[in-house]
C-alpha cells in the first residue's frame, strides 16, 4: 500500500472515531445473483438470475470512489460467472485500479478458474472437509482443490461460514489453509439465519466452542484473517450495529453494512465477523486497530 493511501485510510479512521463520521470506506458491489450452486445456507442466489450491466457497475464504482470508498469487493451469486459486453471480472478489477481503489477483493465459490492475480485477495468459500463441504455446497470439493492447484499467482483466503453442520471441522480446514502452498490465509464468519436457513444456526455453546478453537489457532500461528480481540465481543453480542463504514450495492439499491438490515431481527443475529471488527475499529478500540494493521499488512 502506498504511503498516501495509508494516510488517507488513517485520516478516515480519525474522522470516524473522533468526529463520529458515518461514511463508508468499504463498498461491495453485487455483480449478479446468478449462481451455479444452491448452497444450504444461502438465501440470496438465483432469485432473478440476472447479470447486472457493465455500465451500471461502472457507474456505481465511480460513485463509490467519489463518496470516499477505497476498499472494494465484488460478490455474487457466483462472482466469476459475471460477464457483459465481452467483459469479465478481470476487466472490472482493471477499471477499478484505474479509478483509484486501494484494495480490490472478490468472493467466489471456487468452482471457476482461480488464476486471478489482478485481485488483492480472493475469498474462496470452503465449508468443511470434503464430505461436509459437499453436503452444504454440492459435489464441488474436488473441483475446488483442482482449481487451487492451478492458482499459483493468486492471493487466496479460504472463507468458511461456520454453521451447525461444520463447526467441528474448523481446525481441519485451518490446517489445509496453513499447509496448502496456494492458500495464504483463512477467514471465518458465523451463520446468519436468513429465512429458511434457521436450522443451521449454532447454539451459544457451539459458538463458544468455535470461538475458542479459532483463538487457540491464532495463538498457535495459523494464518487466520480474523482479529483475536473481536471474537469474544462477537460472543457477547453487544457491539454497535449497523456498521456505517460498510455498504453493499445491488443494482443501485444500497444497504448499510449488509443485506440483512432489511430483515426484522436478523441484524441482532449477525454472524459476519468483519462487521464486528469494523464496528470496533471505527469506534476507536485500540487493540482492534493494532490487530487489523498487523493482519492486513500480512495478508493483503
Amino acid at each position: 500500500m502506498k504511503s498516501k493511501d495509508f494516510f488517507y485510510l488513517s485520516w478516515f479512521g480519525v474522522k470516524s472515531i473522533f468526529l463520529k463520521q458515518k461514511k463508508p470506506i468499504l463498498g461491495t458491489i453485487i455483480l449478479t445473483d446468478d449462481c451455479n450452486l444452491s448452497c444450504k445456507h444461502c438465501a440470496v442466489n438465483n432469485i432473478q438470475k440476472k447479470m447486472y450491466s457493465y455500465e451500471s457497475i461502472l457507474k456505481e464504482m465511480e460513485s463509490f470512489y467519489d463518496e470516499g470508498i477505497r476498499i472494494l469487493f465484488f460478490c455474487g451469486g457466483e462472482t466469476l460467472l459475471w460477464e457483459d459486453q465481452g467483459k469479465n471480472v478481470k476487466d472490472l478489477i482493471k477499471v477499478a485500479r484505474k479509478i483509484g481503489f486501494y484494495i480490490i477483493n472478490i468472493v467466489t465459490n471456487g468452482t471457476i478458474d482461480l488464476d486471478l492475480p489482478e485481485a488483492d485477495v480472493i475469498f474462496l468459500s470452503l465449508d468443511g472437509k470434503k464430505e461436509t463441504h459437499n453436503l452444504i455446497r454440492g459435489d464441488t470439493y474436488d473441483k475446488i482443490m483442482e482449481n487451487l492447484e492451478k492458482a499459483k499467482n493468486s492471493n487466496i483466503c479460504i472463507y468458511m461460514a461456520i454453521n451447525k453442520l461444520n463447526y467441528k471441522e474448523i481446525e481441519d480446514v485451518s490446517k489445509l489453509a496453513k499447509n496448502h502452498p496456494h492458500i495464504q490465509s483463512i477467514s471465518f464468519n458465523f451463520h446468519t439465519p436468513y429465512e429458511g436457513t434457521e436450522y443451521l444456526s449454532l447454539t451459544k455453546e457451539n459458538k463458544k466452542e468455535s470461538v475458542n478453537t479459532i483463538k487457540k489457532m491464532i495463538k498457535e500461528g495459523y494464518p487466520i484473517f480474523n482479529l483475536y480481540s473481536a471474537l469474544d465481543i462477537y460472543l457477547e453480542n453487544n457491539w454497535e450495529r449497523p456498521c456505517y463504514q460498510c455498504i453493499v450495492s445491488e443494482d443501485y439499491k444500497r444497504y448499510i453494512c449488509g443485506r440483512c438490515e432489511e430483515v426484522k431481527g436478523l441484524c441482532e443475529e449477525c454472524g459476519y465477523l468483519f462487521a464486528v471488527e469494523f464496528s470496533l475499529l471505527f469506534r476507536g478500540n485500540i487493540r482492534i486497530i493494532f490487530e487489523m494493521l498487523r493482519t492486513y499488512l500480512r495478508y493483503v
Side-chain angles (χ1 to χ4, degrees):
M1 183 182 295
K2 298 177 182 177
S3 57
K4 67 178 181 64
D5 300 346
F6 181 78
F7 177 80
Y8 180 94
L9 295 175
S10 299
W11 180 236
F12 178 90
V14 168
K15 289 188 290 184
S16 298
I17 294 167
F18 295 106
L19 302 180
K20 307 302 180 183
Q21 172 182 267
K22 293 184 176 181
K23 292 178 61 178
I25 190 69
L26 185 153
T28 296
I29 297 179
I30 307 298
L31 304 182
T32 177
D33 73 334
D34 191 12
C35 190
N36 55 347
L37 304 182
S38 296
C39 304
K40 290 184 181 297
H41 59 266
C42 184
V44 295
N45 67 308
N46 295 318
I47 296 170
Q48 299 182 74
K49 296 183 71 70
K50 183 178 180 181
M51 297 283 177
Y52 302 121
S53 72
Y54 174 72
E55 286 81 7
S56 67
I57 295 166
L58 176 59
K59 185 175 181 180
E60 190 68 319
M61 281 196 284
E62 291 171 340
S63 294
F64 271 13
Y65 190 83
D66 290 343
E67 293 165 27
I69 292 169
R70 295 295 183 268
I71 303 170
L72 181 65
F73 274 75
F74 291 124
C75 294
E78 170 45 41
T79 314
L80 295 179
L81 286 177
W82 181 85
E83 59 180 5
D84 185 55
Q85 302 177 29
K87 299 183 183 299
N88 58 29
V89 173
K90 289 188 177 186
D91 297 304
L92 293 179
I93 295 172
K94 291 174 183 176
V95 171
R97 293 270 180 230
K98 290 180 181 178
I99 291 173
F101 290 99
Y102 301 165
I103 301 172
I104 305 165
N105 303 331
I106 72 160
V107 180
T108 177
N109 61 33
T111 59
I112 299 172
D113 186 5
L114 295 169
D115 185 23
L116 198 67
E118 294 86 355
D120 289 298
V121 184
I122 299 171
F123 287 91
L124 189 167
S125 297
L126 196 74
D127 286 329
K129 295 190 291 186
K130 181 176 179 177
E131 183 178 351
T132 304
H133 171 90
N134 286 347
L135 175 64
I136 295 169
R137 291 184 168 267
D139 188 11
T140 59
Y141 189 91
D142 289 340
K143 182 62 177 177
I144 292 170
M145 293 300 111
E146 178 185 325
N147 286 338
L148 273 170
E149 289 300 322
K150 297 183 291 185
K152 298 179 180 179
N153 302 309
S154 300
N155 182 3
I156 295 174
C157 176
I158 292 297
Y159 182 71
M160 182 176 177
I162 303 169
N163 60 44
K164 192 74 172 180
L165 300 176
N166 65 10
Y167 76 98
K168 294 287 188 181
E169 298 178 10
I170 292 171
E171 191 162 358
D172 296 292
V173 180
S174 298
K175 286 178 179 177
L176 171 67
K178 184 177 182 180
N179 297 324
H180 197 290
H182 300 158
I183 300 174
Q184 302 303 316
S185 55
I186 182 167
S187 178
F188 298 100
N189 276 324
F190 286 86
H191 178 66
T192 299
Y194 286 90
E195 185 178 358
T197 71
E198 296 88 349
Y199 72 100
L200 293 171
S201 297
L202 296 158
T203 65
K204 289 184 179 180
E205 286 305 311
N206 296 156
K207 290 178 182 178
K208 184 176 180 180
E209 179 182 336
S210 300
V211 161
N212 287 339
T213 300
I214 297 169
K215 288 169 63 179
K216 176 178 76 75
M217 292 188 302
I218 291 175
K219 288 182 177 179
E220 292 174 357
Y222 281 79
I224 294 174
F225 206 95
N226 305 99
L227 307 184
Y228 185 94
S229 298
L231 291 164
D232 284 333
I233 296 172
Y234 162 73
L235 281 182
E236 293 165 6
N237 200 27
N238 62 359
W239 48 281
E240 293 185 46
R241 64 205 91 175
C243 177
Y244 291 96
Q245 287 73 33
C246 305
I247 62 170
V248 175
S249 174
E250 182 173 11
D251 200 23
Y252 295 122
K253 184 175 181 179
R254 292 191 178 187
Y255 307 84
I256 297 172
C257 196
R259 287 181 282 190
C260 58
E261 68 156 336
E262 286 199 336
V263 183
K264 186 177 180 180
L266 195 56
C267 200
E268 286 70 32
E269 299 184 67
C270 177
Y272 294 107
L273 290 177
F274 82 88
V276 185
E277 294 165 357
F278 266 59
S279 178
L280 295 169
L281 174 71
F282 291 113
R283 284 164 177 79
N285 185 297
I286 298 299
R287 286 187 178 180
I288 292 294
I289 291 170
F290 282 105
E291 287 179 22
M292 184 166 284
L293 282 172
R294 183 175 66 241
T295 300
Y296 274 61
L297 288 173
R298 181 178 181 184
Y299 296 123
V300 177

